């Protein structure tokens, strides 16, 4: 059966309508016409999906297929590799890195190349090849932290995987590791891999195969389970229906809705199409996870609520510094509600665990940053309400269902066009990932820090926690955010202000 479990439930519910119609439950002429149209479309779609051929690779993921065919589906110049930076005070040798990274060869996609199919994108596949293992590694030396950061930026922002110019085909799996040895300070191992291989949840167990606990035991990744939000008094039928209507309205209007309107953050509204202009800056910031937990203790909000609110506050401060027109042109406080900055949060989908398999199953969920909150307290409440709604949201199953059905029907060009319109109207790809709580040994050495980066079509923000430290990794379109360092300073300023407020136990009472 080609339909997802969600799809079967939806179509099963729709197909009961003709039964109700025939027994006289519906007796309005317009309802009868509507049922005829609905039944006809439902039956045709159901038959088409069930009759569609299976993909050549049953483990192919929509995200992977899109990246494989990026020349057709993504803006020209798009960069599709993840950059994972392992920080060390005592740098591992190149031989140590090679030794521990051999576990990658146990995974099919690290030994395979793209076989794109531009005429039927989701019939693309993976082809296993002989891996020239040594060619995936190199070592460079730098003599200062500034040189180290420059090298990491180069790795993160420049394309690193090319097809064979002689044959025009893929002949090498899309991953590599570079040891950046610093003779005067901290060093790094930079792991670059194409996002087609897997998403964060899919890659996590792969990374753990190269790690050990500090006492030398096998490191095991945390198990992430999506918990259901606690029921509240407002969870009645009316409230649920209101939430469903809101989600359906969001999904149906994303591609044709208004653009984000804060031009010091995003100028996409003035661009006729979504582009990757190649103008990117990488900046980051580290801070104590205990600071966020102190705010959580006083407010009762989740860590995700807090980082979203702080990030929105940092954006608000940056907009004020840059004299964003939407702020300077405000006539009264009611204009504050017109501020609009949105993000897409990747939600990992459940996936079976298969030995040697990495998967890339995620859906991007649309949300609004609470930049129109007048105070941190307001922004925390708005962020909390937004993400509480998303936890109950039908956005994820609806978007996942539409993607599954659309791809099976060969509508990938339409889906890609609609997705491009959504991204064009959005400012951020935003992730908050909890990492290991304790320090770990990676490549045989104690790892001091871990920072992920991704050079996306939009601004990309990734929060990641490791061993009591939280990092914010940003890759920004510098044509929109023209002063990236100031942007980070404004976030830091918002965090310091929140830490002061957290000392007052009555702050949020």
């Amino acid at each position: 059966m080609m339909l997802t479990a969600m799809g079967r439930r939806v179509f099963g519910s729709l197909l009961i309508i003709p039964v109700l119609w025939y027994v006289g439950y519906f007796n309005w002429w317009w309802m009868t016409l509507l049922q005829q149209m609905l039944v006809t479309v439902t039956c045709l779609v159901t038959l088409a999906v069930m009759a569609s051929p299976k993909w050549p690779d049953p483990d192919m993921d929509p995200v992977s297929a899109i990246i494989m065919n990026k020349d057709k589906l993504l803006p020209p110049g798009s960069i599709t590799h993840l950059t994972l930076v392992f920080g060390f005070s005592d740098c591992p040798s190149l031989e140590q890195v090679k030794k521990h990274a051999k576990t990658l060869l146990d995974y099919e996609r690290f030994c395979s190349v793209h076989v794109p199919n531009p005429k039927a994108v989701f019939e693309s596949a993976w082809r296993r090849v002989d891996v020239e293992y040594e060619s995936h590694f190199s070592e460079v030396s730098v003599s200062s932290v500034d040189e180290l950061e420059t090298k990491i930026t180069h790795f993160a922002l420049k394309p690193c995987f090319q097809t064979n110019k002689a044959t025009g085909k893929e002949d090498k799996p899309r991953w590599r590791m570079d040891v950046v040895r610093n003779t005067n300070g901290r060093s790094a191992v930079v792991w670059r891999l194409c996002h087609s291989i897997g998403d964060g949840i899919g890659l996590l167990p792969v990374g753990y195969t190269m790690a050990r606990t500090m006492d030398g035991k096998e490191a095991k990744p945390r198990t992430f389970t999506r918990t259901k939000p606690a029921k509240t008094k407002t969870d009645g039928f009316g409230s649920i229906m209101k939430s469903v209507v809101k989600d359906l309205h969001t999904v149906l209007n994303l591609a044709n809705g208004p653009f984000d309107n804060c031009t010091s953050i995003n100028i996409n509204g003035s661009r006729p199409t979504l582009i990757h202009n190649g103008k990117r800056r990488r900046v980051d910031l580290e801070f104590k996870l205990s600071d966020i937990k102190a705010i959580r203790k006083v407010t009762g909000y989740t860590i995700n609520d807090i980082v979203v609110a702080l990030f929105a506050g940092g954006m608000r401060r940056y907009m004020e510094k840059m004299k964003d027109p939407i702020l300077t042109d405000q006539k009264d406080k009611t204009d504050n509600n017109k501020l609009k900055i949105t993000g897409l949060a990747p939600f990992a989908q459940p996936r079976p665990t298969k030995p040697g398999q990495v998967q890339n199953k995620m859906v991007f969920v649309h949300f609004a940053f609470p930049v129109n909150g007048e105070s941190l307290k307001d922004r925390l409440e708005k962020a909390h309400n937004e993400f509480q709604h998303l936890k109950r949201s039908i956005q994820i199953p609806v978007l996942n269902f539409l993607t599954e059905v659309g791809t099976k029907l060969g509508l990938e060009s339409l889906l890609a066009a609609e997705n491009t319109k959504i991204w064009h109207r959005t400012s951020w790809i935003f992730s908050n990932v909890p990492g290991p709580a304790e320090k770990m040994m990676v490549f045989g050495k104690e790892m001091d820090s871990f920072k992920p980066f991704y050079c996306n079509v939009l601004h990309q923000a990734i929060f990641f926690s490791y061993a009591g430290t939280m990092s914010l990794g940003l890759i920004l379109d510098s044509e929109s955010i023209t002063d990236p360092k100031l942007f980070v300073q404004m976030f830091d300023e918002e965090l310091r202000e929140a830490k002061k407020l957290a000392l007052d136990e009555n702050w949020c009472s």
Side-chain angles (χ1 to χ4, degrees):
M1 177 65 70
M2 299 301 293
L3 289 175
T4 62
M6 180 66 185
R8 289 194 292 272
R9 289 197 294 272
V10 170
F11 280 122
S13 301
L14 292 177
L15 290 172
I16 198 66
I17 292 175
V19 176
L20 298 175
W21 176 36
Y22 281 121
V23 298
Y25 188 84
F26 302 118
N27 56 9
W28 300 289
W29 69 268
W30 60 269
M31 184 67 81
T32 300
L33 181 61
L34 179 62
Q35 302 317 310
Q36 289 174 328
M37 293 174 60
L38 189 58
V39 170
T40 301
V41 171
T42 301
C43 290
L44 288 175
V45 171
T46 303
L47 290 172
V49 173
M50 293 177 65
S52 64
K54 291 186 177 181
W55 296 348
D57 182 352
D59 293 317
M60 177 55 63
D61 313 309
V63 175
S64 298
I66 288 170
I67 293 174
M68 283 187 183
N69 292 273
K70 73 170 191 170
D71 292 340
K72 177 181 179 181
L73 299 178
L74 297 180
S78 293
I79 294 174
T80 57
H81 68 266
L82 292 160
T83 303
L84 309 178
V85 182
F86 304 82
F88 298 92
S89 296
D90 182 11
C91 187
S93 68
L94 182 60
E95 292 307 313
Q96 284 177 303
V97 173
K98 289 178 185 178
K99 173 185 173 183
H100 288 85
K102 282 215 167 174
T103 56
L104 298 181
L105 301 182
D106 296 332
Y107 293 87
E108 193 74 19
R109 291 189 181 182
F110 285 94
C111 304
S112 303
V113 297
H114 293 171
V115 185
N117 185 344
K119 294 182 179 179
V121 168
F122 293 96
E123 291 183 14
S124 301
W126 295 90
R127 175 171 58 86
R128 192 175 179 98
V129 295
D130 292 332
V131 181
E132 297 178 4
Y133 186 69
E134 296 290 326
S135 68
H136 288 264
F137 300 86
S138 73
E139 180 172 344
V140 295
S141 294
V142 295
S143 58
S144 68
V145 172
D146 286 344
E147 283 187 34
L148 173 70
E149 294 297 326
T150 299
K151 183 62 69 174
I152 292 171
T153 296
H154 174 81
F155 286 150
L157 303 187
K158 300 297 181 183
C160 67
F161 304 116
Q162 306 292 335
T163 57
N164 187 313
K165 291 182 179 180
T167 64
K169 296 181 180 180
E170 296 277 337
D171 59 6
K172 188 175 180 179
R174 292 191 166 203
W175 64 270
R176 66 172 295 108
M177 290 186 179
D178 298 278
V179 178
V180 187
R181 187 176 302 280
N182 185 2
T183 57
N184 289 297
R186 57 185 174 84
S187 301
V189 174
V190 182
W191 183 18
R192 288 176 285 170
L193 66 156
C194 187
H195 209 339
S196 61
I197 294 176
D199 57 18
I201 299 299
L203 293 169
L204 193 63
V206 180
Y208 268 82
T209 64
M210 299 180 282
R212 292 289 183 271
T213 62
M214 292 303 293
D215 56 1
K217 296 180 180 177
E218 179 183 357
K220 295 182 180 180
R222 296 170 59 179
T223 302
F224 295 98
T225 55
R226 193 171 295 158
T227 57
K228 293 183 178 180
K231 290 187 176 182
T232 66
K233 294 180 180 179
T234 60
D235 285 345
F237 179 77
S239 177
I240 293 173
M241 289 306 298
K242 183 178 179 181
S243 176
V244 169
V245 170
K246 177 183 176 182
D247 287 329
L248 290 175
H249 180 270
T250 298
V251 170
L252 294 173
N253 288 278
L254 279 177
N256 297 293
F259 286 83
D260 286 2
N261 56 15
C262 303
T263 55
S264 64
I265 300 295
N266 188 352
I267 61 171
N268 271 350
S270 64
R271 292 168 172 165
T273 58
L274 180 67
I275 63 170
H276 193 297
N277 60 6
K279 297 177 181 178
R280 293 294 184 271
R281 290 278 300 278
R282 182 189 70 88
V283 287
D284 63 86
L285 177 72
E286 288 186 337
F287 51 96
K288 294 179 180 178
L289 180 59
S290 58
D291 292 337
I292 304 298
K293 290 181 176 179
I295 300 170
R296 181 181 64 179
K297 183 177 179 181
V298 174
T299 64
Y301 292 122
T302 67
I303 287 178
N304 189 70
D305 296 338
I306 294 165
V307 296
V308 170
L310 292 174
F311 195 76
M315 278 195 284
R316 178 79 183 230
R317 289 172 184 263
Y318 178 81
M319 290 164 58
E320 291 169 353
K321 287 280 188 180
M322 300 301 289
K323 295 181 171 52
D324 194 297
I326 201 165
L327 293 180
T328 57
D329 295 345
Q330 283 186 6
K331 296 178 181 178
D332 54 52
K333 287 191 175 182
T334 59
D335 285 348
N336 195 52
N337 295 325
K338 298 178 183 178
L339 299 182
K340 182 174 182 286
I341 301 179
T342 58
L344 291 166
F347 272 54
Q349 296 293 288
R351 76 279 309 269
T353 301
K354 299 180 180 179
Q357 294 291 335
V358 187
Q359 293 178 307
N360 205 351
K361 296 183 180 293
M362 57 183 174
V363 174
F364 287 98
V365 179
H366 197 266
F367 71 97
F369 285 100
V371 287
N372 53 4
E374 291 286 349
S375 66
L376 177 57
K377 183 178 179 180
D378 292 337
R379 290 189 285 272
L380 281 167
E381 183 177 359
K382 287 176 180 289
H384 174 74
N385 291 340
E386 181 80 359
F387 279 86
Q388 281 295 103
H389 167 74
L390 288 177
K391 290 175 183 177
R392 299 178 172 87
S393 173
I394 64 168
Q395 270 197 60
I396 297 173
V398 168
L399 291 170
N400 196 40
F401 173 72
L402 291 174
T403 301
E404 288 284 343
V405 172
T407 55
K408 295 296 195 302
L409 293 177
L411 302 176
E412 59 268 10
S413 294
L414 175 62
L415 289 172
E418 291 298 295
N419 188 62
T420 297
K421 289 163 69 176
I422 293 170
W423 283 49
H424 194 195
R425 287 159 171 75
T426 308
S427 297
W428 292 92
I429 305 298
F430 184 91
S431 302
N432 174 33
V433 184
E438 305 293 334
K439 282 204 169 186
M440 301 172 63
M441 302 282 287
V442 181
F443 308 123
K445 297 289 185 178
E446 180 180 333
M447 183 173 73
D448 295 331
S449 64
F450 178 82
K451 298 177 184 177
F453 299 94
Y454 188 61
C455 184
N456 220 318
V457 179
L458 305 179
H459 301 308
Q460 179 91 34
I462 305 176
F463 285 89
F464 191 91
S465 62
Y466 169 69
T469 298
M470 204 162 196
S471 67
L472 168 59
L474 296 166
I475 293 187
L476 307 175
D477 177 351
S478 57
E479 198 170 31
S480 290
I481 295 179
T482 57
D483 194 339
K485 288 186 177 179
L486 177 63
F487 186 90
V488 171
Q489 289 171 12
M490 292 300 97
F491 173 82
D492 190 39
E493 193 173 290
E494 180 78 358
L495 174 60
R496 283 188 275 113
E497 184 64 25
K499 286 162 56 179
K500 291 178 184 177
L501 291 171
L503 296 175
D504 180 3
E505 296 183 355
N506 298 316
W507 169 40
C508 277
S509 59

